[in-house]
Amino acid sequence: MFAYVGCYTTADRNGHGTGISTYRMDAATGAWEHQNVLEGMTNPSFLAIDPRQRFLYCVHGGSGQGVSSFAIAPSSGALTYLNTQPSGGTNPVHLSIHPGGTWTVVANYTGATVAMLPIAADGTLGPATSVVELRGEPGPDPVEQPGPHPHDIPLDPSGQFAIVPDKGLDRVFVFRLDTAHGKLVPTAQGSVQAKPGAGPRHAAFHPHAPFLYVINELDSTVAAYRFHADSGELTQLQVTTSLPADFKERSTGAEIALDPSGNHLYASNRGHDSVVIFAVDPNSGLLTTIGWEPTQGRQPRHFALDPAGSFLYAANQASDCITTFAIDQPRGTLKSTGQVVRTGSPVSIVFAGK
């Protein structure tokens, strides 16, 4: 098993990283051993692995406008650069790979667009075949919400729909992927409105039930939706806080993920510097708060669960470290393993291998 870490490298992003780092992971203990770092690129921030785990893709955030592809060496996990294509807008912040491995979709935060790019059999990227500009009424925060800011673009388990939380417009957009023509097509519903000033940031699908969960950055809440797999329609079920009731300082929501069983949901808080743990009702999709675990670092912009759901890795961007927690799978609670990986400005983690 290999773990790959994306980072920020430029001063405008307060970046201390140097490139994409590769680690060999011990699946039993959760410990990582550093293998190498691929340097010489700007802000290789969010990463994605193709379904067959042969290729890795990254967006170049900040002032960048590109998406790059890399081949993965099966034995060593080493990366070999393949090519780069324009992302269809400035500051690409997230990407996802279609289950068929032949398309990628990208969210461009500053460019206010989402794009679809083809993937060739050799893993290289082709020019964008679809670039869609998001439009709508900005939220009430003039600093954080001056206009559209798409922040994430996960795909539903079938790969038919892309979900786009837009922090600037307080909306969650849904697009159907037309893979025959390489187009992102708005659904009949188009989008759902979040609470004004909520700032939808990232979204996660339940692994086997028709539910979607969104972390709202600006008001530190988590919204639960019923997802209609035939039409892509979203129906809001619940909105709950990601912070303790007695916490009154500034904090913003960042990442969200479910464990492989779908029984527990996790979300990170920057300011409170914690991961909140929820129990998920398998029938209704509603959330019940279990508690909070400090991430032992500042600004957990990202965290990731290993594929087995045994460990949670918190990427503390402002502390230049990744901290490791063992997951009590029946209860969903977290316990520090004591392992701390020192790495500059970590902002995403993905896994490859078995």
Side-chain angles (χ1 to χ4, degrees):
M1 177 75 69
F2 297 99
Y4 298 90
V5 177
C7 67
Y8 283 132
T9 63
T10 60
D12 64 306
R13 305 301 297 175
N14 195 28
H16 304 144
T18 60
I20 301 174
S21 297
T22 303
Y23 298 84
R24 189 179 294 273
M25 175 185 170
D26 185 321
T29 66
W32 290 5
E33 179 185 357
H34 185 257
Q35 302 295 294
N36 53 66
V37 56
L38 186 63
E39 301 181 326
M41 64 191 86
T42 300
N43 296 328
S45 48
F46 271 83
L47 313 177
I49 303 281
D50 83 297
R52 296 176 63 184
Q53 302 189 16
R54 298 181 303 160
F55 306 109
L56 180 144
Y57 300 88
C58 81
V59 293
H60 298 283
S63 59
Q65 300 185 43
V67 187
S68 293
S69 61
F70 307 83
I72 300 173
S75 58
S76 67
L79 302 176
T80 300
Y81 171 77
L82 296 177
N83 79 326
T84 300
Q85 289 286 354
S87 62
T90 308
N91 190 12
V93 290
H94 194 269
L95 76 167
S96 292
I97 310 299
H98 187 268
T102 54
W103 296 96
T104 183
V105 290
V106 184
N108 297 293
Y109 180 87
T110 307
T113 59
V114 291
M116 188 169 176
L117 289 76
I119 299 174
D122 63 359
T124 56
L125 295 161
T129 56
S130 180
V131 178
V132 180
E133 183 178 353
L134 302 189
R135 295 185 174 91
E137 183 69 25
D141 188 324
V143 175
E144 297 287 348
Q145 299 179 303
H149 281 330
H151 213 308
D152 195 21
I153 189 163
L155 303 182
D156 78 300
S158 73
Q160 295 185 74
F161 297 97
I163 301 295
V164 183
D166 192 302
K167 171 183 163 182
L169 302 182
D170 288 325
R171 287 191 171 274
V172 179
F173 291 86
V174 186
F175 293 89
R176 185 184 295 272
L177 273 68
D178 179 352
T179 55
H181 302 94
K183 300 294 183 183
L184 288 166
V185 181
T187 61
Q189 183 187 38
S191 66
V192 290
Q193 178 75 55
K195 179 182 177 182
R201 177 184 172 91
H202 277 198
F205 280 95
H206 194 282
H208 51 76
F211 305 119
L212 175 78
Y213 300 91
V214 175
I215 179 76
N216 293 311
E217 176 176 335
L218 301 181
D219 70 356
S220 296
T221 60
V222 174
Y225 296 89
R226 182 172 294 278
F227 174 70
H228 301 269
D230 56 342
S231 64
E233 183 178 349
L234 297 174
T235 303
Q236 185 173 288
L237 302 173
Q238 178 190 24
V239 178
T240 187
T241 183
S242 67
L243 295 170
D246 60 354
F247 185 80
K248 305 301 181 185
E249 300 174 35
R250 174 172 169 75
S251 189
T252 56
E255 187 56 278
I256 190 166
L258 290 108
D259 67 3
S261 72
N263 293 330
H264 300 101
L265 181 139
Y266 302 88
S268 62
N269 298 298
R270 296 174 298 181
H272 190 248
D273 293 336
S274 66
V275 171
V276 59
I277 307 156
F278 297 99
V280 181
D281 186 291
N283 298 312
S284 68
L286 299 181
L287 304 174
T288 302
T289 305
I290 294 175
W292 290 263
E293 182 70 29
T295 61
Q296 302 179 12
R298 293 183 295 114
Q299 295 185 24
R301 180 183 179 90
H302 181 79
F303 66 85
L305 280 65
D306 74 302
S310 299
F311 299 96
L312 183 148
Y313 298 89
N316 296 296
Q317 180 186 356
S319 296
D320 296 330
C321 71
I322 297 170
T323 47
T324 308
F325 300 86
I327 300 174
D328 182 323
Q329 292 180 338
R331 299 189 299 167
T333 53
L334 305 175
K335 182 178 181 180
S336 174
T337 68
Q339 177 193 234
V340 179
V341 175
R342 301 292 177 184
T343 185
S345 306
V347 295
S348 78
I349 303 166
V350 293
F351 299 93
K354 299 179 180 179

